[in-house]
Amino acid sequence: MALAFALGVGTQNKSNEWLEVFYQKPVFQPSTDLINAAKAAGYQGGNQAIELDSAKLEALTAQLSGEQAELAKALTTSSAPTVLVVLESDEQSTSTPEVYLKLQLISHRFVKPHGIDLSGMFGLLPNVAWTSKGAIDMNELGDAQLSARLNGEVLEVFSVDKFPKMTDYVVPSGVRIADTSRVRLGAYVGEGTTIMHEGFINFNAGTEGTSMVEGRISAGVMVGKGSDLGGGCSTMGTLSGGGNIIISVGENSLIGANAGIGIPLGDRCTVESGLYITAGTKVQVLDDQKNVVEVVKARDLAGKPDLLFRRDSIGGAVQCVTNKTAIELNHELHANN
């Protein structure tokens, strides 16, 4: 079974190089009929991104049915460049439209972080000025700013980045996002998640659902259902020093305000506010009588459930005790997403 089929409309620079692509209705694991229909636009098998002219769009529309036919028909009216992407298998991308499709498959919740091949993507994502008039090539930005001024306008530049914000492409159901600029395309935001103003979710990362995010979810990190990330807290991604360890947070766990983790947390774990645990942090393991049983590195406790990490307020040692109180979210807070 093929991986994906998508019709998109996007932006190119003056050299006809793709800057970005929007896919309104990507199809995950498309039928054989849909793949066969793509042949009318010149699809010859494998993974392909095919730029569509009016003739290819007309031929493709005649072979499609349902909402994909309606979308193809709508694209015939576009003055912007259009593209058909077919991914027969999950392999390293070779074009910008392919990367944009994969990122949107994650944000549409078709696949979870680490569930699709994103290797080599950075070389295919151009650094773009994201402006009040859309994506603009960095080498063309000055001319665009001058043109706007000559027309009595101001071209506002919101960011300069390889990634746009997710909500310009995908708005998942059942979520609240206080500041949309802090969630990158390629984020997986589960049903029931609330992301407050200082919360951040990177690409290929996210939440299973019913989570409160007031901290940072770095690239590659997945947070389980019912877990909270307190204000200013951080999770260490593989791009920011975590090495090959895949950091994750289990279900019903809490990372306190201004705390952080560089190890995977199991279910029902708590990290005390202000405590940052890296893989090499020396941790005193306490028994029920609060006696030190052994001293281990934090990596030895990775993924284990029902743990409370804290710092001794007198001696300063990092300690680990059994966490006997599972964290429960405020259900009323999430009931109306």
Side-chain angles (χ1 to χ4, degrees):
M1 180 178 291
L3 179 66
F5 171 103
L7 289 165
V9 57
T11 308
Q12 294 179 331
N13 62 15
K14 292 179 180 179
S15 299
N16 296 321
E17 297 168 328
W18 288 100
L19 301 180
E20 56 83 40
V21 185
F22 167 67
Y23 303 98
Q24 184 196 17
K25 298 175 181 178
V27 180
F28 181 61
Q29 295 182 338
S31 66
T32 301
D33 289 343
L34 201 53
I35 299 301
N36 287 335
K39 296 176 182 178
Y43 175 65
Q44 297 176 345
N47 294 357
Q48 281 188 262
I50 303 168
E51 292 192 35
L52 300 172
D53 55 22
S54 57
K56 288 181 179 179
L57 264 173
E58 183 177 348
L60 182 61
T61 303
Q63 297 298 316
L64 295 173
S65 60
E67 64 179 15
Q68 291 299 316
E70 295 175 3
L71 177 57
K73 185 176 181 180
L75 292 182
T76 61
T77 66
S78 173
S79 59
T82 58
V83 64
L84 165 66
V85 176
V86 179
L87 301 180
E88 189 174 64
S89 60
D90 185 19
E91 300 175 0
Q92 182 172 321
S93 300
T94 59
S95 68
T96 300
E98 290 178 53
V99 174
Y100 266 84
L101 175 54
K102 288 185 175 183
L103 292 174
Q104 287 171 64
L105 289 176
I106 296 174
S107 291
H108 274 293
R109 302 177 186 153
F110 288 124
V111 294
K112 292 184 178 180
H114 303 288
I116 198 166
D117 187 354
L118 297 179
S119 59
M121 64 180 294
F122 286 101
L124 298 170
L125 288 175
N127 206 30
V128 171
W130 303 99
T131 77
S132 51
K133 290 186 177 294
I136 299 178
D137 187 291
M138 292 301 300
N139 295 322
E140 301 169 6
L141 179 59
D143 289 342
Q145 289 172 316
L146 176 60
S147 177
R149 294 278 181 169
L150 293 176
N151 288 322
E153 304 171 345
V154 175
L155 180 67
E156 186 174 0
V157 179
F158 301 117
S159 68
V160 178
D161 197 2
K162 288 180 175 289
F163 293 82
K165 59 185 180 181
M166 180 189 73
T167 52
D168 283 349
Y169 296 80
V170 181
V171 180
S173 61
V175 303
R176 292 194 291 145
I177 304 174
D179 184 350
T180 56
S181 68
R182 297 184 62 81
V183 183
R184 275 173 144 187
L185 182 63
Y188 183 106
V189 186
E191 186 95 17
T193 296
T194 295
I195 306 167
M196 295 303 291
H197 297 78
E198 295 304 315
F200 172 83
I201 303 181
N202 211 334
F203 75 97
N204 201 33
T207 64
E208 292 279 0
T210 58
S211 291
M212 172 63 71
V213 181
E214 298 184 84
R216 177 184 178 86
I217 302 178
S218 297
V221 177
M222 197 67 176
V223 176
K225 292 181 180 178
S227 290
D228 276 5
L229 274 67
C233 77
S234 177
T235 56
M236 187 183 291
T238 55
L239 297 180
S240 57
N244 294 321
I245 299 174
I246 297 178
I247 308 301
S248 60
V249 178
E251 297 184 358
N252 300 308
S253 291
L254 170 66
I255 303 177
N258 297 316
I261 58 169
I263 62 169
L265 284 186
D267 296 339
R268 300 174 301 280
C269 288
T270 301
V271 179
E272 179 185 73
S273 295
L275 175 60
Y276 205 115
I277 302 170
T278 63
T281 300
K282 295 293 182 65
V283 181
Q284 294 180 348
V285 180
L286 307 183
D287 61 18
D288 290 341
Q289 287 72 44
K290 304 301 185 290
N291 297 314
V292 178
V293 177
E294 59 180 336
V295 178
V296 300
K297 291 184 177 181
R299 66 167 61 93
D300 297 326
L301 302 172
K304 295 184 179 180
D306 301 300
L307 300 179
L308 165 62
F309 293 91
R310 69 185 190 188
R311 188 178 294 279
D312 183 270
S313 59
I314 298 176
V318 178
Q319 299 178 330
C320 177
V321 297
T322 301
N323 178 20
K324 298 187 177 181
T325 304
I327 301 303
E328 293 185 5
L329 286 176
N330 183 335
H331 296 294
E332 182 180 351
L333 190 66
H334 301 282
N336 298 311
N337 278 348

